[in-house]
Structures are given as structure tokens and as C-alpha cells.
Amino acid sequence: MRIQWTKIVLGCLAGAAVFGMGQMTTEAATHSAGVSDLLNECLVSDADTMKSEIGVSTAAGQETICGYTNLGIAQVENHLNIREGAGEDTELVGALPVDAGCEILSQEGDWYKIESGKVTGYVKSEFLLTGDAAAARAAEVKSIMATSMTQTLNARVEPNTDCSIWTMIAEGESLHVVEDLGEWLKVDVDGDECYIASEFVEVSEQLPKAMTMTELRYGEGISDVRVDMVQYACQFVGNRYVWGGTSLTNGVDCSGFTMRIYEKYGIYLPHSSSAQAGYGTRVDASSAKPGDLFFYGSGGGINHVAMYIGNGQVVHASSARTGIKISNAFYRTPICVTRLISD
């Protein structure tokens, strides 16, 4: 199920930021973010941003590009692995999606130490654009994002408080701005459009950020099949979203993604998020285990599904603009959670 609104592609991935939702809701009163002005501003570019010695402290007040002083941009097809140390034999701690931005902290041989979103680690230097090339790419792929600054932000079906609430957005979540309507912003949530109050968000130019990767270890109360399922699902992060698609490598939508993941483990689900919600046993979100399914929607209707991977995160085929990604499980209010693995 999907709300049939016009889609406007801005092309950027926003990282998940929080792991819980509060109960308070808020509405608009005045317009506080000059989105139209921001949309018309030129990207600040500084040819000296990448210093000859990466990692040297920058001078106070130095201009930045989308918030970065020593900008690096992932130049990959899907995603770039971030490791705990400067070596391919070290643990994975995250992933940089294609065109994601990072702060380059230092260099160790063929590796850069970087920071992006909530992840700090090492990436191979050959896969990062730096200097003028990074600045030029940032100008092409940056997006205008609205970040929720309140505990729970109502997203509505129309730009007013008389209409129904479509979903609720967690504090710290960033949404793509489609249009500035003054006191309201039209935003994109998993490929659907809805409206949020300008008063309760911070608007800025952003690049995609790194995604954290959940570590699951055998023998810590998680069954082998759940660990294996999470590892299998996460290998497709960065791949394309295609409405109606069922190919994990060539394009898949949200229910197609979960359908194919579960199919590998002998569980066969229909190609529909609302229909998938009728399978298995419903559990409380606070007791979710890796492999359980989180369902989202508008009101009581379900139109999106994701798979829980532990540590407050889900992996899902989000939208055409972001593809398959990892998000905070409570980036929007889940309608229900189901369990299909009986261990």
C-alpha cells in the first residue's frame, strides 16, 4: 500500500540518529527556517580545505562544506566499508553510502581515519574524493534536509493542523525537504510526501552520512539463524530501490526485500507490506529480536516494512532516493512488530 503523491527526487541518504520515541507531539505556530533562502544559496567552497597534512587542526572560523572542514566523499557503487582500524582484517563498524560525506581526521598509509554521523573509523583512501573534487561533487549531490528538534514531530497529510496525522517522526531524524510552504515544509518519508511544521525543525544543507553496523555475536542470546539472517540482509545495503521490484541486487521495494530475505530461510511471505503484517506473532517493539519485522504506515494503515537487526536499528528498502539502508527502528512510529522465527 502506498500513498499516490507526486515524487520529487533530491537524491541523498539521511543517517539514523535516535533509538527511542517519546510521547509528546507538537504543531506549527510560526515559520522559523528560511528554506527558500537556503535553496538559493551557493555551496561554500574552499580549495584549501584539504590540507597537505590531513589531520592538522583547522583555524577557527574556517568555512565548511555541508558542515565539513576536511571533506571526503565516498566514490563507490553501493557503499564503502568503515573499519575499526587501518586494515581489512579489522572489524566493520559502519558503512558510507555512495556520495556520503565524512570529516577526514588523519591518514595512515592507504587509509583515512574519518568521522561521519555516529561512526568513527577507517576507510581505504582510494575510494574517497577529497579537495576540489569533493567540493565539486558535494555541489551536485547535497540536499536540503529538515532535522526534527522536538521529542515527537507530527507529519500530516496536509499542511494544517485540522487534517489527520500521517505518522510521527523521532527527534534527530532528518527528512528531505521537497518544498517550502512557509509555516510548513513538504518532506519525503520512505518515498511518500507529507507535511511537517517549520517551527520545530532545523534546516540545513547535508550530504548522506555513515550508517552504523550492528555487531551480533553467537552465544549472546541470539540464535544462529537470526545472526545469519542479519548478516545476509545487510550485505545488500546500498543496492537500488525499485517499486514492485523483487531483486536484491537489481532493485527491490520494501516488501520485496523482506520477502526475499525470509525466502532464503524457508519462510514465504506475500509481496505486500500490509499482507506481511498478518503473518507471525505480534510482539512489543521493546522486546524485538534481530529478524523480527517492523511495520510502519499512516494512521492504522500499513505501507512500509523493515527488518530489525538489533541495537535499535532496522534494515529496509526505503525509497528510490536512498535505496536499501539502515535506520533507527523508531525513525517513525511503528504500527506493529511481528515475529516469524520461533526461537
Side-chain angles (χ1 to χ4, degrees):
M1 296 177 65
R2 191 177 179 87
I3 298 175
Q4 298 300 314
W5 292 332
T6 303
K7 306 295 183 289
I8 302 177
V9 177
L10 296 177
C12 220
L13 170 68
V18 292
F19 295 114
M21 294 279 288
Q23 301 299 316
M24 180 175 64
T25 58
T26 26
E27 304 292 357
T30 61
H31 178 48
S32 62
V35 184
S36 295
D37 292 339
L38 187 55
L39 286 167
N40 293 327
E41 287 180 0
C42 295
L43 177 69
V44 175
S45 178
D46 185 353
D48 296 325
T49 293
M50 274 302 300
K51 299 184 181 300
S52 58
E53 293 184 276
I54 299 171
V56 175
S57 298
T58 56
Q62 179 174 327
E63 293 180 333
T64 64
I65 299 174
C66 294
Y68 300 101
T69 54
N70 290 328
L71 174 66
I73 293 184
Q75 188 179 32
V76 288
E77 289 188 8
N78 293 321
H79 66 274
L80 176 59
N81 288 332
I82 306 173
R83 296 189 175 275
E84 188 176 39
E88 294 183 357
D89 57 344
T90 61
E91 294 290 332
L92 286 174
V93 294
L96 279 175
V98 60
D99 291 326
C102 65
E103 185 75 22
I104 300 176
L105 304 175
S106 62
Q107 184 170 8
E108 296 183 24
D110 295 332
W111 295 80
Y112 284 137
K113 184 176 183 180
I114 62 98
E115 182 178 12
S116 179
K118 291 180 173 292
V119 184
T120 300
Y122 293 80
V123 299
K124 290 295 291 290
S125 58
E126 63 185 290
F127 299 114
L128 278 189
L129 292 175
T130 60
D132 290 342
R137 186 59 180 164
E140 296 174 0
V141 301
K142 64 176 180 175
S143 290
I144 303 301
M145 306 294 292
T147 302
S148 173
M149 303 300 290
T150 188
Q151 192 173 16
T152 302
L153 178 66
N154 289 339
R156 294 184 172 272
V157 297
E158 298 292 342
N160 59 69
T161 58
D162 296 327
C163 66
S164 60
I165 296 172
W166 188 75
T167 191
M168 289 183 287
I169 307 299
E171 185 175 6
E173 284 298 313
S174 294
L175 305 173
H176 294 267
V177 176
V178 176
E179 186 179 0
D180 175 19
L181 300 174
E183 293 185 352
W184 296 85
L185 300 175
K186 181 189 288 187
V187 295
D188 180 290
V189 179
D190 293 328
D192 288 318
E193 292 173 1
C194 53
Y195 300 86
I196 59 174
S198 301
E199 181 182 5
F200 302 109
V201 298
E202 181 179 283
V203 178
S204 62
E205 292 179 332
Q206 294 185 26
L207 294 168
K209 296 182 179 66
M211 297 173 288
T212 59
M213 301 293 272
T214 301
E215 276 192 51
L216 291 177
R217 291 188 173 90
Y218 294 88
E220 293 187 354
I222 304 299
S223 67
D224 291 359
V225 66
R226 290 184 183 274
V227 172
D228 191 70
M229 180 179 285
V230 168
Q231 292 174 342
Y232 178 66
C234 286
Q235 72 178 293
F236 301 107
V237 167
N239 285 0
R240 295 174 60 213
Y241 173 99
V242 174
W243 172 250
T246 59
S247 172
L248 293 170
T249 54
N250 295 322
V252 67
D253 61 13
C254 67
S255 59
F257 177 70
T258 51
M259 178 182 74
R260 290 301 186 212
I261 298 301
Y262 269 86
E263 182 178 77
K264 176 177 169 62
Y265 298 89
I267 299 174
Y268 300 94
L269 298 173
H271 191 189
S272 162
S273 57
S274 59
Q276 287 182 10
Y279 286 68
T281 302
R282 295 202 175 190
V283 297
D284 190 87
S286 63
S287 62
K289 295 181 179 181
D292 291 347
L293 297 181
F294 273 61
F295 293 91
Y296 308 90
S298 55
I302 290 169
N303 61 12
H304 192 70
V305 58
M307 192 181 86
Y308 190 64
I309 61 174
N311 196 30
Q313 296 179 302
V314 292
V315 60
H316 59 136
S318 175
S319 68
R321 92 172 60 242
T322 61
I324 299 171
K325 71 175 190 175
I326 294 171
S327 298
N328 162 29
F330 300 93
Y331 73 103
R332 54 192 285 202
T333 305
I335 291 178
C336 66
V337 179
T338 65
R339 178 167 296 161
L340 289 90
I341 300 173
S342 60
D343 64 329

